[in-house]
Amino acid sequence: MSTVFVAGATGTLGRLVIGGLQRRGARVRALVRPGNTEGRRALGQDVEVVEGDIRDPADRLARALEGSDVIVSAVQGGADVIIDGQANLLSAAERAGVPRLIPSDFSLAIDRLDHGDNDFADLRRKAAESFAGSPVATTSVLCGAFLEVLNQPFYNWVDWRSGTFSYWGDGDQPIDFSTMTDTAEWTAEAALDPAAAGRTVRVAGDVLTLKELHQAMERGSGRRLQARRLGGVGELKAEIDRLQAGGADPFAWLLLQYTWAMVSGKGKLDPLDNHRYPGVRPTGAKEFFRQAMSPSA
């Protein structure tokens, strides 16, 4: 039985990963910050809880990692977590003799982006640079865009109240979409797959153009959405530059950076590795929106 150490265990994705690991018979050890009694309770009694933080001294963290076969990092945050914290986690893994680490990437093709294309991707690319040369083999899991996130009002793609779907670009660029649940299942598979060591796992629940996504939203939800084209790819890039230069709330242009990576095609995953894990049968966009917009949801 494999023992998997999960950092970021109390977050949405972390909890889903733990569920996927347990269904596959893995023993799970979860890192939980001291005092997070609610998070500890949500993990259940079958999870071994270790109190701590990935920024704890590496020697202390190494003791918590001893006996683990692989680490899954599902942490979120700024540079202090994604770069410094994960580098510290890697150092602790080296001391404890843990052979494998899945870092917290879970995004579009960040390995194809250039510096400055996406600030959050830059953090993960910088973290990957610190992993180079380590005896700990890393496995990056890339899944495209989370459908759960795109369905939120703050993302400004779909407004169910006004009945509009707003998009940039020509609407014909294929884009990768996945649910968090399916991403967690693929991550559990990769964590327990020795052949995934040292490679990138690229997976997607659906590959659709934005015009096709619009249709999937309507067919799944049973609601009509008026499509509104906001501008081309070049105009989107100009809008990002304008917001950055004008000192706007970073959240505004960070979201647009993700959109640009998708509609420009630069963030497209290729090739996809879905066939490596046939046991995961992902939820397509139409089915996701059917479930998300059902009266009982």
Side-chain angles (χ1 to χ4, degrees), residues 10 31-41 49-53:
T10 60
L31 186 67
V32 177
R33 291 179 181 176
N36 188 355
T37 55
E38 183 177 345
R40 179 194 290 263
R41 190 180 305 113
V49 173
V50 177
E51 287 196 346
D53 189 285

Side-chain angles (χ1 to χ4, degrees), residues 186 199 202-203 271-279:
W186 278 311
R199 61 184 305 273
R202 301 174 180 88
V203 286
L272 290 175
D273 297 311
N274 290 38
H275 64 283
R276 292 181 177 272
Y277 305 111

Side-chain angles (χ1 to χ4, degrees), residues 71-82:
I71 300 167
V72 175
S73 173
V75 298
Q76 295 295 328
D80 62 322
V81 174
I82 300 301

Side-chain angles (χ1 to χ4, degrees), residues 140-212:
S140 179
V141 176
L142 302 178
C143 57
F146 284 133
L147 286 167
E148 293 91 339
V149 175
L150 299 182
N151 196 38
Q152 294 300 313
F154 68 79
Y155 211 89
N156 297 320
W157 276 27
V158 59
D159 187 333
W160 295 105
R161 182 169 297 180
S162 65
T164 57
F165 173 73
S166 303
Y167 70 98
W168 294 87
D170 59 13
D172 294 322
Q173 168 62 46
I175 298 171
D176 306 297
F177 301 100
S178 298
T179 66
M180 289 187 179
T181 298
D182 292 334
T183 299
E185 294 296 308
W186 278 311
T187 301
E189 289 276 1
L192 301 177
D193 177 15
R199 61 184 305 273
T200 298
V201 174
R202 301 174 180 88
V203 286
D206 219 339
V207 180
L208 302 170
T209 67
L210 289 186
K211 291 177 181 177
E212 291 170 336

Side-chain angles (χ1 to χ4, degrees), residues 238-250 253:
E239 176 66 5
I240 294 170
D241 293 341
R242 184 188 69 80
L243 291 171
Q244 289 178 317
D249 180 357
W253 44 264

Side-chain angles (χ1 to χ4, degrees), residues 11-288:
T12 301
L13 184 60
R15 293 197 305 271
L16 290 171
V17 169
I18 288 174
L21 289 167
Q22 290 178 321
R23 282 188 291 276
R24 289 163 175 81
R27 180 185 297 110
V28 178
R29 185 180 301 162
L31 186 67
V32 177
R33 291 179 181 176
N36 188 355
T37 55
E38 183 177 345
R40 179 194 290 263
R41 190 180 305 113
L43 295 178
Q45 296 182 347
D46 294 333
V47 176
E48 178 187 352
V49 173
V50 177
E51 287 196 346
D53 189 285
I54 62 171
R55 291 163 292 190
D56 287 343
D59 57 345
R60 182 194 308 168
L61 194 56
R63 290 194 291 273
L65 290 170
E66 288 179 357
S68 300
D69 298 294
V70 60
I71 300 167
V72 175
S73 173
V75 298
Q76 295 295 328
D80 62 322
V81 174
I82 300 301
I83 298 176
D84 300 335
Q86 291 196 119
N88 187 57
L89 184 62
L90 183 78
S91 177
E94 292 173 349
R95 297 187 186 200
V98 182
R100 299 178 53 215
L101 166 69
I102 296 179
S104 184
D105 291 341
F106 310 115
S107 186
L108 36 73
I110 56 178
D111 52 345
R112 294 183 56 196
L113 300 183
D114 293 317
H115 183 80
D117 285 343
N118 184 293
D119 285 30
F120 284 154
D122 286 347
L123 297 181
R124 285 159 173 79
R125 288 162 56 86
K126 186 70 174 178
E129 292 173 5
S130 71
F131 301 156
S134 172
V136 178
T138 58
T139 298
S140 179
V141 176
L142 302 178
C143 57
F146 284 133
L147 286 167
E148 293 91 339
V149 175
L150 299 182
N151 196 38
Q152 294 300 313
F154 68 79
Y155 211 89
N156 297 320
W157 276 27
V158 59
D159 187 333
W160 295 105
R161 182 169 297 180
S162 65
T164 57
F165 173 73
S166 303
Y167 70 98
W168 294 87
D170 59 13
D172 294 322
Q173 168 62 46
I175 298 171
D176 306 297
F177 301 100
S178 298
T179 66
M180 289 187 179
T181 298
D182 292 334
T183 299
E185 294 296 308
W186 278 311
T187 301
E189 289 276 1
L192 301 177
D193 177 15
R199 61 184 305 273
T200 298
V201 174
R202 301 174 180 88
V203 286
D206 219 339
V207 180
L208 302 170
T209 67
L210 289 186
K211 291 177 181 177
E212 291 170 336
L213 178 66
H214 175 216
Q215 294 173 351
M217 287 178 166
E218 289 189 327
R219 292 171 181 170
S221 67
R223 304 185 190 186
R224 182 73 175 170
L225 293 169
Q226 180 183 0
R228 298 170 58 242
R229 183 175 183 269
L230 303 177
V233 174
E235 292 171 298
L236 172 57
K237 185 63 168 67
E239 176 66 5
I240 294 170
D241 293 341
R242 184 188 69 80
L243 291 171
Q244 289 178 317
D249 180 357
F251 191 69
W253 44 264
L254 282 167
L255 294 179
L256 291 180
Q257 283 183 330
Y258 277 107
T259 297
W260 178 85
M262 286 186 269
V263 301
S264 68
K266 199 169 184 179
K268 181 72 180 71
L269 299 172
D270 184 50
L272 290 175
D273 297 311
N274 290 38
H275 64 283
R276 292 181 177 272
Y277 305 111
V280 179
R281 298 185 178 181
T283 300
K286 178 182 174 181
E287 177 61 18
F288 168 80

